[in-house]
Each structure stands twice: as C-alpha cells, then as structure tokens.
Amino acid sequence: MAKEPHLTERERADLVAYLDGELGGEAARALEAKLNLSPEARAEADSLKRTWDLLDFLPRAEPSPRFTERTLSRLSPVSAVRPGALAVPAWHRWAGGALWAVAVVAAFVAGWAGYNLLAGREPGENRRPQAAGEDPETRDQKFLDRLPARVREEVQRLPAEQRPARLAQLRREEEQQRGEWLRHARQQPNPWAAAPPTRAPSHLNELPPEVQTFVKEVLAPRLTAEEKENLQNADKKGEGLPRVLVELTERRLSLPPLPPPRGPILHYKDLPQEAKRHAPRLTLEKTMKWEPLKAREGRWPDFALAFVEVVPAGQRYNLPPLGAARPSDFSPEVQAVIDKLRQLSPPEGEELHKAEGHWPRYPRLLLELARKHHLAVPGMTLPGPRELWEHRN
Amino acid sequence: VAATGETSKQLALRDPDVRLMLEVRDDKDGAFAEMVGRYQHRLVAVMHHLVGNAEEAEDLAQEAFLRVYRARKKYHPRSKFSTWLFTIANNLALNSLRARQRRPAVPLAVHDSGPLGPRPAEQLVPDPGTGPVQRVQKDELAAQVRQALETLNERQRMAVVLNKFEDMNYAEIAEVMGLTTKAVKSLLSRARVNLRAALLGYVSMQGEPVPEETEEE
C-alpha cells in the first residue's frame, strides 16, 4: 500500500486539480507555496503526474471498417434504406469549398506528374498499396469516401446489386483521367511550361492561370490585412513577387490544421488538456508569457506555433499534435506524396514515420523531403516545381 | 421561449456538431451517417478504455448512436453536442459495468483485444526506437495499466477516461456524469491515488530522461 503522509486529502485534491490546470486563485497560490517549500509535496506531484502519463500506454481502439454501415443497418428498415443514409463524408472538408478543390487538383497534377516523371512510372502503377488483408467491401467503401459528394450520393441511391458495377466503372474513369493527367503533364510538366519564364515574374497577371487561381482563391483568403497589403505592394511595384508568394504560402498553408472534429486550434481554451498541462495558464501568467500568447489567438497556425514556443523545450516532444502530423490527417493527395517519398527513400520514409505525431516537426519534415525530391505537396506548396519559385530576388 | 430559442441558435452557431444534430433531428439525408463517421473513433476508444473489451466497446458505441437516433426528435441544444452524446454513453457504460460486476467475467488481455486490437500490419510496424524486448515490456506495461484502470470503481474510471482521453474539463465531466464539479474533483483525486497505488512499481521505472528533442527553428 502506498504511503501518503505528506498532504491532506483536500490538499491532494487541490494538487490533482492544479496538475489538470483546474485550480486558480488563492488555492493555487497556497499550493504553489507548499510545493516550493516541501520536497515531499513535489515528489507527490511528480509521482501523480507520472502515474497519469502511464495511461498513455493504453492502446487506442479503432472502430472496425464497417462500423458506420453496421450501425445504420441496426436502425429500423425504413431509415436504413433512406437515400443518402450511407453518405459518409470525407474529413478533409476543412480546406473548404470547390475552389480549393480546383486549386488542389491543379497542384496535384503538377505534383503527380513531377514524381511520375521522376520515377518513370506508367499510369495505373501509382495506386497506393492496398492495406494487408483489406477486403473488397472496405476497399470499395474507402474509394466511395474519396468521391465527390454528388457522385457518392448517386452511387448510394443505386440498388445494392448495381453498386459494384458502378464503382468499377468509376475506378476505370479515374484511372483513365489519371492517365490523361500524366500525358498532359508529360507534354506540359508544369503550369509554366506553355510560356517558360525567362525572368522572375513581377506581377500577378504574369503568372499562369492555375497559379493566379491558387493565389486568389486559396492563399489570399488566409492572409492578414498586412500580408495582403504586402502582396499587393509586391504586385504593384513589381518587386520580389515570387519571394513574397513563397513566404506567404509557407506561413499560411504549409501547416494544415488537424482534420475535423478537432480542426484548427485558435485559442488557449481549445487546446487539449494534455497540452495545457505542459504550459498551465497560471505558469504562463507568472512568467509573463500569457499576454504575448493571447495576442496570437484567432489565427492559424500562429497561435499553435506560439504555444509550442512557450512549452519548455524538453517537454515539446511530449505535446499532443496541435496540427496535422500523421498521414491520415492529410488529404489523399498528400498521402500519395508521403507514399511516394517512402518508395523513393526508405531511410527518409522511416525518418518521416518516426516524426509522426510530432507537430510541427512532421509537416516541416514532409515539406523538406518533398523539396529534396522535387515533389509538389498539393495544397501545402505553390503549384509547379519548387525550383521555378526560387527566384527569390 | 424566445430566450431559449436564442440560446439554442447561439449554441448551434458555435458548435458545428449541434448543427449536424439538428439536421439529424430534421431527418436530413446523410446527416446521421455523418455523425456516426465523425464520432465513432472517439466513442469506441472511450468505451474500450472503460470496458476493456473491443467487441463490447463497439456494441456499446453502436447502442449509444442508436439511442441518439431514437431520441433525435426530442433533441434541444442546451450544451455542446459531445456532452450530450457522452452523457448517453456514460449511462450505457455504467450500466454495462454494473451488470458485469453482478456477473463477473475474465477481462481480456490487452494484446488479445479482438477485431479492434492492432491489425496484423500494424503489429509489424516497428516501434520507433525500440527493439523486441522493449516492445514486450511496453505490452506488459499496457496490460498493467489496463489492470490498474480496472481496480477503479466505474465512476472513477469514467471520470479518468473523459478527462484523460476526451480532454474534458471538470465542469464538462460533471455535466456528463450528473455530478457537481467539486464531486468530480474529489473523484479524480481518489482515482489518481488509486492508480498510483496499483502502478507504484512502474511509476518509479518511469524516471528515464525525456527523449531528446530535435529543436524547431
């Protein structure tokens, strides 16, 4: 039986609440005084924290692949066959809207073409490896989940016996389309190919149409007023436009937030409790770090990056990820790039794998490796090969 | 009535899940499936931590979703949707755990967690920085932690799981469990002391230095 002679039950409850970031005011100050004075109390706090950390060793269960379908099948028969009832949405709606999708596709064409050219692969060879033991129904469901909502709903409205044929047809169309992209890409390997730049572009209207769309529809809405002004000035004066675009893209798009339901973390109150424990508000207030952190609230990824900075360096490794930091957090297009990186360089793929769950280390390493292997990362980098953007005048 | 309507509207605007639940209430096509898709991972994980059995966890999670569906017409947003969902899950899990106490069953080992345990491909993925010996030690530790969790009474276990794995604060846990915040504080304090007693040997083993961090720029 453990000996617990150092704190009263009430003090221990306060201590636990303090460790959970739930104790404030006079009670917190009294407890901090006790912790400062008593090595035994500090040891008690430490052992309670270590115990809590041991819970991280519990494996996390995942629902079986057909969980949604089986749950819906348990509803009344009338509800179960309602059209659209199986419409499982894709998570990557955070990016929002069809225009984003257009831009992602534009970037994907360039990225996909780039790495296929690099590896000299043929259409159809690029399918992601099928998970070991994955049954056809799971594969179909995953394929279905990736389709646009309109097509998905059309498939789901079909009688069950007609769905496999329709899915097979959609797969063939996708293959064909991918082949088209490749053929197109081989003739036009990047958005600049129609008019190769002989000098760094100075104005937005000199950029290829795909890039102009990306800037207007994807990048611009995420900029602060000051950043928009910088971009407008660079465009107007014709000075340093590529550099400004590269910098703004890196700042606003290179670190995607976590997928829903978590989404972007914009405020201290939105942080996971586990993260708050590494930098409790009271500690931040005492060390004068609270106000500067508060000033970064409301904008992604500024607040999350600022929070990582106020966590003591030795503890950052243990922070839960505050943004996308695992392959499954990213869109299928980015996952395809991750797969490609693993194929191109297994040691680097392993390095990337080890960084999983660590933010912002994982997305930064992903971009670094992609840059090294001349791959565009759809939605996280400017469309087209990176080299063409390095007119950092 | 107007005030209640306004509160509901504000809540719905703040919480996209409330908005989705209102669509479920209105029988919008695909809304319930979207909700199941959105919450299944969290609910199954919480249930698994509570009952320690993958199949039972999945059954309970399904049952919780079905209860949400059956109660949809009576739904009025009062707080975050997740609080409402986990209140339903809390009732189901506590009933299940109490029934089990009346009819004791041998808990499954962590490495034998049925279809929800690590899949074969995942089991083959090497754990970064650890060899087979460390992996065995890690599995053993996981089993010990599981057993320690099972020494807690069901309410302590629920509070621990919601706090640790759902990041719920004391007020949210209190709402889910129908307790006062003060009672939750006391519950979690006793739970942590009990866990420490059950894991005493392992707590002292955890004195290894924090893994070296690659500094961000």
Side-chain angles (χ1 to χ4, degrees):
Chain A
M1 188 68 196
K3 274 171 64 184
E4 282 130 19
H6 312 304
L7 297 173
T8 65
E9 193 171 334
R10 186 179 168 180
E11 284 174 330
R12 190 170 296 111
D14 278 351
L15 174 58
V16 169
Y18 180 77
L19 292 172
D20 286 343
E22 295 264 354
L23 196 68
E26 189 56 40
R29 281 190 287 280
L31 186 77
E32 280 168 357
K34 177 133 191 164
L35 286 171
N36 282 333
L37 291 172
S38 164
E40 291 84 2
R42 284 200 296 276
E44 171 118 15
D46 188 50
S47 68
L48 285 170
K49 187 179 179 310
R50 285 177 190 279
T51 305
W52 198 242
D53 291 344
L54 282 173
L55 292 176
D56 291 327
F57 281 87
L58 285 172
R60 186 187 162 97
E62 288 293 334
S64 52
R66 297 182 61 211
F67 180 88
T68 302
E69 200 179 331
R70 289 199 293 111
T71 305
L72 293 171
S73 72
R74 286 179 62 184
L75 296 175
S76 68
V78 174
S79 305
V81 296
R82 283 173 56 78
L86 286 174
V88 182
W91 61 262
H92 45 282
R93 283 183 186 172
W94 72 269
L99 289 167
W100 174 259
V102 167
V104 164
V105 167
F108 182 45
V109 171
W112 187 271
Y115 72 61
N116 280 291
L117 286 170
L118 203 72
R121 295 174 81 96
E122 292 300 322
E125 282 185 273
N126 299 287
R127 273 166 269 166
R128 296 178 59 203
Q130 187 182 318
E134 191 169 78
D135 61 73
E137 283 185 27
T138 308
R139 203 169 60 246
D140 282 352
Q141 189 59 48
K142 282 186 179 172
F143 177 69
L144 196 60
D145 291 349
R146 285 196 288 118
L147 294 172
R150 181 183 51 77
V151 183
R152 210 165 51 222
E153 282 162 16
E154 176 223 306
V155 172
Q156 282 152 359
R157 275 196 295 272
L158 290 173
E161 66 276 10
Q162 291 178 21
R163 282 185 200 161
R166 178 65 180 136
L167 283 173
Q169 185 193 3
L170 285 166
R171 272 211 183 85
R172 279 195 301 276
E173 285 172 10
E174 190 191 61
E175 289 287 311
Q176 197 180 359
Q177 199 175 16
R178 210 171 266 180
E180 288 296 324
W181 284 353
L182 262 183
R183 273 190 289 280
H184 175 77
R186 280 181 173 154
Q187 289 154 10
Q188 291 191 307
N190 63 67
W192 303 88
T198 51
R199 61 174 179 82
S202 305
H203 302 283
L204 286 170
N205 62 10
E206 292 171 16
L207 297 169
E210 297 95 318
V211 184
Q212 289 187 40
T213 305
F214 179 87
V215 172
K216 280 182 198 158
E217 311 294 352
V218 180
L219 181 60
R222 289 173 168 75
L223 301 179
T224 63
E226 192 186 348
E227 288 165 346
K228 275 183 191 158
E229 200 181 327
N230 285 346
L231 180 60
Q232 281 163 1
N233 284 342
D235 180 35
K236 204 186 295 174
K237 292 180 186 167
E239 288 173 9
L241 182 67
R243 176 179 50 79
V244 172
L245 283 174
V246 168
E247 282 176 6
L248 293 177
T249 302
E250 281 176 0
R251 194 182 304 164
R252 294 289 160 222
L253 301 173
S254 66
L255 299 174
L258 285 164
R262 176 63 82 178
I265 295 171
L266 303 176
H267 302 276
Y268 186 84
K269 67 178 172 55
D270 299 335
L271 286 163
Q273 290 287 94
E274 191 61 33
K276 288 182 196 167
R277 277 185 205 114
H278 290 281
R281 179 175 173 167
L282 285 170
T283 310
L284 295 175
E285 283 175 345
K286 275 167 61 180
T287 52
M288 312 292 282
K289 291 176 180 169
W290 174 252
E291 288 305 324
L293 179 66
K294 195 80 184 149
R296 308 287 286 278
E297 283 194 332
R299 186 158 282 274
W300 175 263
D302 306 36
F303 171 75
L305 286 172
F307 179 77
V308 172
E309 280 171 25
V310 298
V311 171
Q315 293 177 34
R316 285 180 203 159
Y317 190 88
N318 297 325
L319 272 179
L322 304 183
R326 291 189 174 87
S328 57
D329 293 340
F330 295 89
S331 66
E333 292 80 4
V334 175
Q335 290 181 34
V337 175
I338 294 169
D339 284 347
K340 187 66 196 173
L341 282 170
R342 285 182 186 142
Q343 289 168 24
L344 286 173
S345 170
E348 287 171 345
E350 182 59 22
E351 190 188 352
L352 192 60
H353 175 65
K354 282 184 182 172
E356 280 179 20
H358 298 291
W359 188 89
R361 193 171 154 203
Y362 183 86
R364 284 181 176 165
L365 181 60
L366 168 62
L367 288 173
E368 187 186 317
L369 294 176
R371 195 174 301 148
K372 182 179 167 187
H373 292 283
H374 309 280
L375 303 182
V377 187
M380 291 169 67
T381 54
L382 282 160
R386 168 86 189 185
E387 304 87 89
L388 288 171
W389 286 107
E390 295 192 337
H391 299 282
R392 290 180 178 233
N393 53 356
Chain B
V1 174
T4 309
E6 186 55 32
T7 308
S8 303
K9 195 177 164 191
Q10 285 168 355
L11 280 168
L13 285 174
R14 271 212 304 270
D15 184 353
D17 293 337
V18 166
R19 218 156 42 223
L20 179 60
M21 184 60 215
L22 291 173
E23 290 180 357
V24 172
R25 185 184 71 180
D26 298 341
D27 289 330
K28 185 182 172 195
D29 283 348
F32 182 63
E34 182 168 349
M35 170 177 295
V36 175
R38 207 181 273 189
Y39 269 93
Q40 58 178 301
H41 297 270
R42 290 167 64 181
L43 206 48
V44 168
V46 162
M47 290 298 195
H48 187 239
H49 288 314
L50 288 170
V51 300
N53 176 303
E55 284 177 13
E56 191 179 351
E58 193 153 305
D59 282 349
L60 286 170
Q62 278 189 350
E63 186 57 36
F65 282 122
L66 296 182
R67 287 195 184 188
V68 165
Y69 188 79
R70 288 183 201 124
R72 69 192 186 285
K73 295 293 179 193
K74 296 174 199 160
Y75 177 72
H76 294 290
R78 288 187 195 91
S79 56
K80 275 166 69 181
F81 170 74
S82 58
T83 312
W84 187 62
L85 178 64
F86 281 103
T87 304
I88 292 172
N90 169 59
N91 294 334
L92 273 168
L94 292 188
N95 286 341
S96 171
L97 290 168
R98 283 169 190 153
R100 188 193 288 184
Q101 273 185 346
R102 290 193 292 273
R103 178 176 40 80
V106 180
L108 288 176
V110 170
H111 59 269
D112 184 22
S113 55
L116 297 186
R119 291 170 179 81
E122 292 166 351
Q123 286 172 333
L124 292 174
V125 175
D127 198 356
T130 62
V133 175
Q134 288 90 336
R135 211 172 315 143
V136 168
Q137 285 175 345
K138 197 174 161 185
D139 288 347
E140 282 175 9
L141 184 53
Q144 290 299 324
V145 177
R146 174 78 244 160
Q147 280 182 20
L149 200 59
E150 285 177 2
T151 64
L152 304 182
N153 69 38
E154 62 265 22
R155 292 203 316 170
Q156 287 178 0
R157 206 183 307 175
M158 174 62 81
V160 164
V161 168
L162 293 177
N163 187 228
K164 175 74 185 177
F165 300 105
E166 270 299 309
D167 295 324
M168 282 193 188
N169 61 34
Y170 288 10
E172 287 168 328
I173 297 170
E175 193 175 344
V176 165
M177 297 184 70
L179 301 170
T180 62
T181 309
K182 198 176 164 188
V184 170
K185 183 179 167 186
S186 169
L187 202 58
L188 278 169
S189 172
R190 289 199 302 274
R192 282 170 83 145
V193 170
N194 291 344
L195 281 174
R196 183 177 55 182
L199 291 166
L200 202 55
Y202 296 89
V203 171
S204 54
M205 278 172 57
Q206 287 294 300
E208 297 154 10
V210 174
E212 197 175 323
E213 188 210 22
T214 306
E215 283 291 326
E216 307 298 341
E217 68 257 48

